[in-house]
């Protein structure tokens, strides 16, 4: 079995391929020396090496200059293909051009981000890159694999399982608020912990934020009566606006739902730890110009967004 090092030892050096290419065009050792910025003796040495390695004279002297042999005629196409491939490998990556790109970006996000981030992100992407498509994917157990495989470009949200081995960038902080019907009769301007425990609640089953809420309730030994549970935030505003139930939600989605359904926002009486919404991407695509453009767009839109005041 041939060892890889032995195979590599038989490969022709790039400088010799360039010499063959130039000599085929110029028919002149002197002109090759000028173009390659080498002395004529050096070019002669290189040509001798080429002849030995390819087992052919390759070029013979004549009144018209150095004429190629049939072997050189047969090789020149392959030599030029090899040089072109090497030039492509060495060429810098073409930058992402949003105005002309037709790329599809796939972003893993929660349904809350569909309401709070996606409309704004789409509006700005569409303005700068009208032929770019955005596709929203859910955040699930396979998110890490999608990012690593390039089947997703970014993940947005609180995704603790991506904290290790992925690039991450903080976007904005989230604390917690409570949403209630604007005409809720038993709740005044403040919601204390005792009233919080007595009232009925809407529970959200999915997302890391919901897990954080449940863990805090357990740690604080606070029991609440959950009257209805939803898989996500779809339908939450309609339920709260037509019942006397309380919804405990992160502030960003809470503000958006309150505006859409004229709900009241109250400070949460339960000390739930805040968290940071981040964007995550795999190291394989850290230098990808399109991925970088999308990340910078998210930073310009969302990074360090202040916590909005309750309304």
């Amino acid at each position: 079995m041939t060892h890889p090092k032995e195979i590599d030892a038989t490969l022709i050096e790039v400088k010799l391929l360039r010499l063959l290419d130039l000599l085929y065009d110029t028919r002149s050792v002197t002109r090759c020396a000028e173009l390659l910025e080498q002395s004529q003796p050096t070019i002669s040495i290189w040509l001798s090496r080429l002849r030995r390695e390819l087992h052919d004279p390759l070029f013979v002297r004549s009144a018209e200059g150095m004429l190629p042999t049939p072997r050189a005629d047969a090789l020149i196409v392959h030599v030029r293909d090899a040089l072109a491939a090497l030039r492509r490998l060495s060429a810098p990556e073409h930058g992402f051009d949003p105005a002309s790109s037709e790329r599809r970006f796939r972003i893993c996000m929660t349904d809350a981000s569909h309401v709070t981030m996606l409309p704004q992100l789409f509006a700005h992407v569409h303005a700068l890159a009208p032929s770019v498509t955005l596709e929203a994917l859910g955040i699930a157990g396979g998110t890490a694999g999608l990012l690593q495989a390039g089947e997703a470009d970014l993940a947005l949200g609180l995704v603790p399982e991506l904290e290790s081995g992925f690039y991450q960038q903080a976007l904005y902080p989230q604390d917690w608020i409570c949403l209630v019907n604007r005409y809720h009769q038993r709740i005044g301007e403040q919601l204390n912990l005792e009233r919080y425990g007595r009232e009925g609640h809407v529970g959200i089953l999915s997302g890391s934020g919901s897990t954080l809420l449940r863990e805090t309730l357990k740690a604080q030994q606070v029991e609440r009566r959950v009257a209805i549970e939803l898989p996500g935030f779809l339908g939450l505003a309609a339920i709260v606006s037509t019942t006397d139930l309380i919804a405990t939600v992160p502030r960003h989605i809470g503000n958006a739902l309150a505006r859409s359904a004229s709900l009241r926002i109250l400070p949460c009486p339960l000390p739930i730890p805040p968290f940071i919404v981040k964007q995550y991407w795999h190291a394989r695509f850290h230098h990808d110009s399109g991925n970088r453009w999308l990340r910078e767009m998210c930073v310009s839109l969302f990074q360090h967004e202040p916590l909005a005041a309750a309304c």
Side-chain angles (χ1 to χ4, degrees):
M1 182 177 178
T2 305
H3 194 278
K5 288 185 177 180
E6 295 176 3
I7 296 174
D8 290 343
T10 65
L11 295 178
I12 299 175
E13 292 183 56
V14 175
K15 66 183 182 182
L16 301 184
L17 294 179
R18 291 182 64 206
L19 172 59
L20 196 156
D21 180 31
L22 288 173
L23 192 52
Y24 193 91
D25 276 345
T26 65
R27 306 292 202 261
S28 168
V29 171
T30 301
R31 182 63 179 144
C32 286
E34 293 173 356
L35 293 172
L36 294 173
E37 298 181 342
Q38 300 291 331
S39 67
Q40 287 195 44
T42 297
I43 296 300
S44 296
I45 292 170
W46 289 2
L47 181 56
S48 295
R49 285 183 56 189
L50 263 176
R51 287 166 168 165
R52 286 196 307 273
E53 293 186 23
L54 296 177
H55 311 291
D56 190 88
L58 297 174
F59 298 91
V60 295
R61 296 186 182 277
S62 74
E64 291 79 28
M66 301 290 288
L67 295 182
T69 66
R71 172 74 164 151
D73 286 331
L75 287 175
I76 191 61
V77 173
H78 303 298
V79 168
R80 287 174 174 171
D81 285 346
L83 288 171
L86 291 170
R87 291 186 183 105
R88 287 193 296 272
L89 285 173
S90 302
E93 179 191 13
H94 293 296
F96 178 74
D97 180 15
S100 62
S101 176
E102 297 181 354
R103 182 165 171 174
R104 174 183 291 267
F105 289 108
R106 307 181 84 203
I107 307 173
C108 300
M109 56 174 61
T110 64
D111 61 339
S113 297
H114 296 172
V115 176
T116 59
M117 303 177 79
L118 190 56
Q120 191 177 358
L121 179 59
F122 172 76
H124 282 75
V125 167
H126 186 65
L128 297 175
S131 296
V132 162
T133 300
L134 296 184
E135 180 180 350
L137 306 175
I139 291 178
T143 296
L146 292 176
L147 291 170
Q148 179 174 323
E151 295 175 17
D153 296 281
L154 286 181
L156 299 174
L158 172 63
V159 197
E161 59 268 29
L162 299 181
E163 298 287 334
S164 177
F166 286 80
Y167 281 97
Q168 56 182 290
Q169 187 173 27
L171 294 178
Y172 59 87
Q174 285 271 55
D175 63 350
W176 294 80
I177 58 175
C178 290
L179 298 179
V180 298
N181 189 318
R182 188 169 291 276
Y183 305 104
H184 200 302
Q185 306 240 335
R186 293 183 301 278
I187 296 178
E189 294 302 316
Q190 296 291 327
L191 176 62
N192 59 37
L193 193 56
E194 181 183 359
R195 173 60 65 183
Y196 182 87
R198 289 207 305 262
E199 294 292 331
H201 292 259
V202 182
I204 303 297
L205 295 174
S206 64
S208 300
S210 299
T211 301
L212 181 61
L213 172 58
R214 289 192 294 271
E215 291 174 349
T216 302
L217 288 165
K218 183 177 180 180
Q220 298 288 329
Q221 297 183 332
V222 174
E223 294 187 7
R224 59 176 187 164
R225 180 173 57 85
V226 177
I228 183 172
E229 290 186 314
L230 301 175
F233 292 94
L234 181 64
L236 178 62
I239 290 173
V240 175
S241 66
T242 56
T243 67
D244 59 0
L245 300 178
I246 298 173
T248 305
V249 296
R251 183 179 293 275
H252 207 185
I253 181 63
N255 284 342
L257 296 177
R259 288 192 296 269
S260 69
S262 297
L263 303 177
R264 290 173 59 198
I265 296 177
L266 296 172
C268 181
L270 185 69
I272 308 170
F275 62 91
I276 301 294
V277 171
K278 301 177 181 179
Q279 61 176 343
Y280 305 84
W281 64 97
H282 196 271
R284 289 183 61 209
F285 305 98
H286 183 63
H287 296 288
D288 177 81
S289 58
N291 190 290
R292 186 168 59 246
W293 178 82
L294 183 62
R295 300 193 312 258
E296 291 171 354
M297 175 72 71
C298 290
V299 167
S300 68
L301 292 175
F302 306 119
Q303 193 174 57
H304 305 311
E305 183 174 300
L307 293 173
C311 56

